[in-house]
Amino acid sequence: MSHSILIVEDNAVMAHLLQFNLTRAGFEVTIACNGNSGFEKAVADRFDVVVTDHQLPGMLGTDLCKSLREMAQYRSTPIILCTAKGLELDRANVVKECGLTEVLFKPVSPRKLVSAINDLLATASV
């Protein structure tokens, strides 16, 4: 059974690069280009993992994460926040406030993301 992943990323090149690599790794991938669209897609479908950018048009990634955690079907879903604000972000605080599973700093290696998702899903199924 293939796991479904929602990628919320406003940079189309990055979104398609992640989609390509995750699809090659056997995942079903849906892309949303902003926070509002990501939230709508998450409400309409059920995803096994959510990967979101931090700075998004419409709704910040942190706000998206908080909104998802309020929904019963996403309370324990792995959520990964990708951010270019590594030096400015209080990682421990944002993980706690937003219920994040992981924070990755940009530029994100597609290989590292695939590995992180595989690890999270393996841990979740134990």
Side-chain angles (χ1 to χ4, degrees):
M1 182 183 113
S2 179
H3 290 282
S4 61
I5 299 176
L6 175 62
I7 301 283
V8 187
E9 171 64 62
D10 61 323
N11 179 314
V13 173
M14 177 58 78
H16 291 293
L17 177 68
L18 296 176
Q19 180 183 37
F20 173 79
N21 283 277
L22 290 167
T23 300
R24 280 187 63 201
F27 297 108
E28 294 177 22
V29 180
T30 300
I31 294 176
C33 61
N34 63 57
N36 292 327
S37 174
F39 184 74
E40 290 169 7
K41 288 177 189 255
V43 168
D45 289 314
R46 175 70 177 93
F47 295 95
D48 298 310
V49 177
V50 177
V51 178
T52 182
D53 187 15
H54 178 233
Q55 293 184 289
L56 292 166
M59 177 191 293
L60 288 175
T62 49
D63 293 334
L64 172 62
C65 295
K66 289 175 189 175
S67 295
L68 292 176
R69 287 296 187 222
E70 292 175 1
M71 300 169 58
Q73 67 266 35
Y74 287 104
R75 287 209 178 104
S76 62
T77 299
I79 299 178
I80 299 172
L81 180 75
C82 299
T83 180
K85 298 285 186 183
L87 298 175
E88 302 165 30
L89 190 72
D90 180 346
R91 185 184 186 285
N93 192 41
V94 77
V95 165
K96 183 179 176 184
E97 279 185 14
C98 301
L100 300 173
T101 311
E102 183 70 61
V103 175
L104 298 176
F105 299 116
K106 290 185 173 185
V108 173
S109 157
R111 184 178 300 162
K112 182 174 181 175
L113 180 62
V114 169
S115 177
I117 289 171
N118 281 325
D119 290 348
L120 289 170
L121 290 171
T123 302
S125 64
V126 171

